[in-house]
Amino acid sequence: MSATPRLQGVFSPVLTPFSRDHAPDAERFLRHCRWLLEQDVGLAIFGTNSEANSLTVGEKRRLLDGLLEAGVPADRMMPGTGSCALPEAIELTRRATEAGCAGVLMLPPFYYKGVSDEGLFRYFASVIEGVANERLRIYLYHIPPVSQVPITRDLVARLLDRYPGVIAGMKDSSGDWNSTKAMLEAFGPRGFNVFAGSETYLLATLRGGGGGCITATGNVNPGPIVQLFKTWQAPDADAQQSRLDATRAVFAKFPMIPAMKAAIAWKTGREDWVHVRPPLVDLDAAQRKALQEGLDAAGFEMPKAQMLA
Amino acid sequence: MSATPRLQGVFSPVLTPFSRDHAPDAERFLRHCRWLLEQDVGLAIFGTNSEANSLTVGEKRRLLDGLLEAGVPADRMMPGTGSCALPEAIELTRRATEAGCAGVLMLPPFYYKGVSDEGLFRYFASVIEGVANERLRIYLYHIPPVSQVPITRDLVARLLDRYPGVIAGMKDSSGDWNSTKAMLEAFGPRGFNVFAGSETYLLATLRGGGGGCITATGNVNPGPIVQLFKTWQAPDADAQQSRLDATRAVFAKFPMIPAMKAAIAWKTGREDWVHVRPPLVDLDAAQRKALQEGLDAAGFEMPKAQMLA
């Protein structure tokens, strides 16, 4: 295992732009990635907020390859590669690892409920053995409110014992600080790199020794979130955290993905940003108006939005 | 819309046999399908108990094509074609419809939780418009204990209004007879064809005007289940139902899919039947012994098991 610097910072599950007929728009995707990098946000492409599970593995491969061909640095990417179907997870994880991605973010298989830790261990072990690349770095994706399949501490311990180094860390989207804290305390001393699942717990996670956050709202509010990451030991850190929370709260009044897309459409004037794939539904006119009023009241800005237009 | 006879009978989500390295075994799959047809069980390939969501869409296409090429009649098949990713659902539904399958059984997209009926309507509408084949017959798959995304009566009503004939019926795997009863009463008069999600409610569903059942244990106990379907108006129907329930209860003491595979391995002497894909786990030796003792005590038999060996 080669020694690599510990991954830190703010990552965002990059929104996937669609055309009116629900096809991924590779060109807008690339521009959005460049805008995020410009603001020091890493690219957790194919996350929950990317509608990744609404994409086929072929669509994901083409989007990833498009970024690589355009020169987007792989070491700033952490693609989501989990899938209910083991061969798909192996295929996409292998591709990301060979391309030099900083890591992959892996959902557990999420169709069956009540599966055992033994079954999940076998799943992750099968991916690791299938990819068979010592550069592989897996960040486990714990998001029980959506997946309904948790990553337990017993499972993390067992995976760390068997695959130290490869099991690199976690995104904790449980929404429960006690969960994140317990992961930090249990596995941080072993180099396990915990990212908060939103900026809500960014400051607490950094104070607890974690790596940063992987957050949906990084797609629309990157500047202030990155600012807190860079200055978390400054006297105004708690005040910064409060301002982040206030902006996030505006988005959280609406379905998050359509709301972020509507905000980008608003700030860029590009109406095609609103499209989502079913089963998601774009905001209606009244929702969009309420969102804009809320964001205006919170002093929300999207600097350099012209890069996205 | 052409007038076709109403679909009735016992279907089974056909178990998918795997090799030790988790590859689907097309040859054993074909033999299992032929054994089921021999006993008048229809082929709901790619269901929950088929580990369908652990298969890639490419694997499903190859398995389906293999059956068709071997001469398995398409009009005895109801493939599961739902997927979180709309293009996959369209691709597999189109293939099944063009091949002449009796219908398709469609899960809702199941990653996002708390999605709206509007979003699910758009999903199913996109599949129907995307496939654009008047022979398409969709059976909606209501299995909230697993998918966590229900098919509500409001959604069924809206789909039936917009796509009469195409929306052909439902498999109700809620495990709640009141749900099945309400679907039968609300939509049966409009020709909506309700199948019980297991043989547990086979007799009640037939008495309520439903089409039959689509049941996991059809894979291992087809004869007695089909017998009840054929003689449900006979005086001993309730006694038959009780015997079905007793056999099912033995399997239900264990994880169902590994238990059914272990039973087939036992009765055929083919040890490779035990393999499941992660995150599922095959039964251990003690579980297999307990399963066999329970099945022996219940008088369980698998006639013509040599067809599977």
Side-chain angles (χ1 to χ4, degrees):
Chain A
M1 222 69 66
S2 60
T4 45
R6 179 166 180 252
L7 205 62
Q8 287 186 299
V10 175
F11 284 75
S12 188
V14 182
L15 289 167
T16 306
F18 293 108
S19 62
R20 175 174 296 276
D21 64 353
H22 304 135
D25 184 333
E27 192 256 347
R28 263 192 292 144
F29 184 62
L30 172 61
R31 270 185 292 164
H32 189 49
C33 286
R34 285 184 167 148
W35 180 77
L36 291 168
L37 288 177
E38 170 90 9
Q39 315 203 40
D40 284 338
V41 172
L43 308 174
I45 59 174
F46 314 145
T48 295
N49 284 274
S50 314
E51 300 172 70
N53 290 301
S54 302
L55 299 171
T56 69
V57 70
E59 288 173 329
K60 284 182 256 194
R61 277 201 67 140
R62 286 190 291 279
L63 287 170
L64 172 59
D65 288 347
L67 295 184
L68 294 167
E69 285 159 18
V72 174
D75 65 2
R76 293 292 286 145
M77 295 187 205
M78 188 196 289
T81 61
S83 168
C84 294
L86 182 57
E88 286 188 357
I90 292 174
E91 177 188 343
L92 202 57
T93 303
R94 179 184 290 131
R95 175 70 188 126
T97 306
E98 288 173 352
C101 289
V104 296
L105 185 57
M106 291 200 67
L107 276 171
F110 53 85
Y111 181 63
Y112 297 106
K113 305 306 183 293
V115 293
S116 64
D117 278 355
E118 171 65 24
L120 294 174
F121 178 85
R122 291 186 190 188
Y123 173 88
F124 287 109
S126 296
V127 172
I128 294 166
E129 310 284 349
V131 170
N133 186 325
E134 67 171 14
R135 291 187 305 173
L136 173 60
R137 296 292 178 273
I138 292 179
Y139 291 80
L140 303 166
Y141 190 3
H142 180 53
I143 182 170
V146 182
S147 66
Q148 305 278 328
V149 177
I151 307 283
T152 66
R153 287 201 291 285
D154 282 351
L155 176 61
V156 174
R158 204 172 149 198
L159 284 167
L160 268 179
D161 286 346
R162 179 72 184 78
Y163 301 106
V166 172
I167 299 298
M170 161 174 281
K171 175 182 180 186
D172 185 350
S173 294
S174 65
D176 172 10
W177 169 246
N178 288 325
S179 160
T180 312
K181 186 165 176 285
M183 290 288 177
L184 282 163
E185 290 172 356
F187 306 116
R190 298 175 66 178
F192 189 72
N193 197 1
V194 177
F195 286 80
S198 81
E199 75 275 27
T200 307
Y201 299 117
L202 174 57
L203 187 53
T205 297
L206 292 169
R207 285 173 176 162
C213 68
I214 304 172
T215 180
T217 43
N219 278 288
V220 285
N221 194 33
I225 301 173
V226 170
Q227 180 63 19
L228 176 56
F229 171 75
K230 290 180 176 170
T231 63
W232 68 274
Q233 289 171 307
D236 73 335
D238 287 285
Q240 287 189 57
Q241 180 70 62
S242 295
R243 288 196 295 277
L244 297 185
D245 295 347
T247 300
R248 185 178 180 93
V250 178
F251 283 101
K253 285 180 191 161
F254 305 89
M256 191 68 117
I257 299 169
M260 292 190 294
K261 287 186 160 182
I264 297 177
W266 171 42
K267 288 295 186 184
T268 61
R270 279 207 62 156
E271 184 63 17
D272 53 2
W273 256 104
V274 302
H275 302 305
V276 290
R277 257 193 186 166
L280 300 189
V281 176
D282 50 308
L283 299 194
D284 64 24
Q287 288 174 310
R288 290 176 71 175
K289 183 163 178 290
L291 172 69
Q292 291 175 18
E293 288 170 358
L295 290 174
D296 272 339
F300 173 76
E301 290 175 10
M302 276 186 70
K304 303 185 191 177
Q306 72 279 7
M307 282 183 70
L308 298 172
Chain B
M1 224 68 66
S2 60
T4 44
R6 180 168 181 251
L7 205 62
Q8 289 186 298
V10 175
F11 286 74
S12 187
V14 182
L15 290 168
T16 306
F18 293 108
S19 62
R20 176 174 296 275
D21 64 354
H22 304 135
D25 185 333
E27 193 254 348
R28 263 191 294 144
F29 185 60
L30 172 61
R31 271 184 292 163
H32 189 49
C33 286
R34 286 186 166 147
W35 180 78
L36 291 168
L37 289 177
E38 169 91 7
Q39 316 204 40
D40 284 337
V41 172
L43 307 174
I45 58 174
F46 312 146
T48 296
N49 285 274
S50 314
E51 301 172 69
N53 290 302
S54 303
L55 299 171
T56 70
V57 70
E59 289 174 328
K60 285 183 255 194
R61 278 201 65 141
R62 286 190 291 279
L63 287 171
L64 172 59
D65 288 348
L67 296 184
L68 293 167
E69 285 159 18
V72 175
D75 65 2
R76 293 291 285 144
M77 293 187 205
M78 189 194 289
T81 62
S83 168
C84 294
L86 183 57
E88 286 189 356
I90 292 174
E91 176 188 345
L92 202 57
T93 303
R94 178 184 291 132
R95 175 69 188 127
T97 305
E98 288 174 351
C101 290
V104 296
L105 185 57
M106 291 199 67
L107 275 172
F110 53 84
Y111 181 63
Y112 296 107
K113 305 306 184 292
V115 294
S116 64
D117 278 355
E118 171 65 24
L120 294 174
F121 178 85
R122 290 186 189 189
Y123 174 89
F124 286 110
S126 296
V127 172
I128 294 167
E129 309 285 350
V131 170
N133 187 327
E134 66 169 14
R135 290 189 304 172
L136 173 59
R137 298 290 179 273
I138 292 179
Y139 291 80
L140 302 166
Y141 190 3
H142 179 54
I143 182 169
V146 182
S147 66
Q148 305 279 329
V149 176
I151 307 284
T152 67
R153 288 200 292 282
D154 282 352
L155 176 61
V156 175
R158 203 171 150 198
L159 284 167
L160 268 179
D161 287 346
R162 179 71 184 79
Y163 301 105
V166 172
I167 299 298
M170 160 173 283
K171 174 183 181 185
D172 185 349
S173 295
S174 64
D176 171 10
W177 168 247
N178 288 325
S179 160
T180 312
K181 186 165 177 283
M183 290 288 177
L184 282 163
E185 290 173 356
F187 305 118
R190 298 174 67 178
F192 188 74
N193 197 1
V194 177
F195 286 80
S198 80
E199 77 274 27
T200 309
Y201 298 117
L202 174 57
L203 187 54
T205 296
L206 292 169
R207 285 173 175 162
C213 69
I214 303 172
T215 181
T217 41
N219 278 289
V220 285
N221 193 34
I225 301 174
V226 170
Q227 179 64 18
L228 175 56
F229 171 75
K230 289 181 176 169
T231 63
W232 67 274
Q233 289 170 304
D236 72 336
D238 288 285
Q240 286 189 57
Q241 180 70 65
S242 295
R243 287 195 297 275
L244 298 185
D245 296 347
T247 300
R248 185 180 180 90
V250 178
F251 284 101
K253 285 181 192 162
F254 304 90
M256 190 70 115
I257 298 169
M260 293 189 294
K261 287 187 159 180
I264 297 177
W266 173 41
K267 289 295 185 183
T268 61
R270 279 207 61 156
E271 184 62 16
D272 53 2
W273 256 104
V274 301
H275 301 307
V276 291
R277 257 191 187 168
L280 301 189
V281 175
D282 51 310
L283 299 194
D284 64 24
Q287 288 174 310
R288 290 177 73 175
K289 183 162 179 289
L291 173 69
Q292 293 176 16
E293 289 170 356
L295 290 175
D296 272 338
F300 173 76
E301 289 176 11
M302 277 186 70
K304 303 183 191 179
Q306 72 279 8
M307 283 183 70
L308 297 171

